[in-house]
Amino acid sequence: MRKDALENRQKILTIVRNLLDKQDLEQINMKQIANTADIGIGTLYRNYENKSALAMDLVYDDMEAFIVQSEHDLQKNNVENNNQFKIILTNYLNFREKNMSLLNQVENNAKQVSIFYQSDLHQKLVNIFKQAINELNPHSNAQELTFKADMLIAMLKSDVYSFERNSRNLSQNKILDNIINLFK
């Protein structure tokens, strides 16, 4: 990628992060982003075909940080199995809470979801959960672990998670405890 294109991309991400401090992504439109970044709307669309693609780029760094921390946590041998799963799940719920608006935007776009499911980042996320679940269920085979990891990720998608938090009035800790009980 050319230097000016990289600079525009970084400028766009910085502008959107600043706008997100004041309003939700749903309230921000592409024209507002282009105007605030002082770039043409065509330049914006060359970098991001829609807000979902932009949201995925914004959330990528936080997800990568979660994965790196989780890999580190899983390498610690002095943590009880149940606590490893709890630590990783707690960190994932924190990640989801912090990025709820962005994740909702991504998850509501079938193309972005498909791109994410095919990404290395998604595979790393599945592997993190497979390892954590394996600590609780050491007799599960690889296929069962993959299924359980996929289902855990699916049940924590924005719409379901938001429903449990807002409609069922479950705290993050209660959701955490309920999920741990499901996997015991």
Side-chain angles (χ1 to χ4, degrees), residues 9 12-13 16-17 25 30 33 44-61 101-113 115-116:
R9 200 169 179 93
I12 292 165
L13 292 175
V16 173
R17 281 188 187 99
L25 187 62
M30 296 295 265
I33 295 168
L44 177 59
Y45 278 107
R46 265 191 305 282
N47 283 280
Y48 298 101
E49 67 180 270
N50 55 45
K51 284 197 302 185
S52 295
L54 182 56
M56 190 64 223
D57 245 14
L58 287 166
V59 81
Y60 185 88
D61 288 341
S101 176
L102 296 172
L103 290 166
N104 192 42
Q105 185 73 39
V106 171
E107 292 167 358
N108 284 326
N109 182 298
K111 182 178 179 183
Q112 282 307 123
V113 170
I115 290 169
F116 175 66

Side-chain angles (χ1 to χ4, degrees), residues 94-179:
N94 289 337
F95 159 77
R96 290 213 60 95
E97 289 271 340
K98 177 183 176 192
N99 293 287
M100 186 66 73
S101 176
L102 296 172
L103 290 166
N104 192 42
Q105 185 73 39
V106 171
E107 292 167 358
N108 284 326
N109 182 298
K111 182 178 179 183
Q112 282 307 123
V113 170
S114 178
I115 290 169
F116 175 66
Y117 282 157
Q118 296 172 28
S119 72
D120 289 339
L121 192 62
H122 179 261
Q123 191 54 54
K124 288 179 182 178
L125 183 62
V126 170
N127 288 339
I128 290 294
F129 283 123
K130 282 172 63 174
Q131 284 182 262
I133 294 165
N134 188 51
E135 297 294 325
L136 291 176
N137 300 290
H139 301 295
S140 296
N141 65 38
Q143 186 178 34
E144 292 168 336
L145 289 171
T146 301
F147 177 79
K148 290 175 183 180
D150 286 343
M151 292 302 100
L152 177 59
I153 293 166
M155 79 168 112
L156 290 172
K157 282 188 167 183
S158 299
D159 56 346
V160 175
Y161 183 75
S162 180
F163 177 77
E164 294 298 326
R165 292 280 279 133
N166 300 320
S167 296
R168 300 269 192 233
N169 295 315
L170 295 179
S171 68
Q172 184 176 336
N173 285 333
K174 188 62 178 169
I175 291 171
L176 176 70
D177 291 340
N178 287 342
I179 292 171

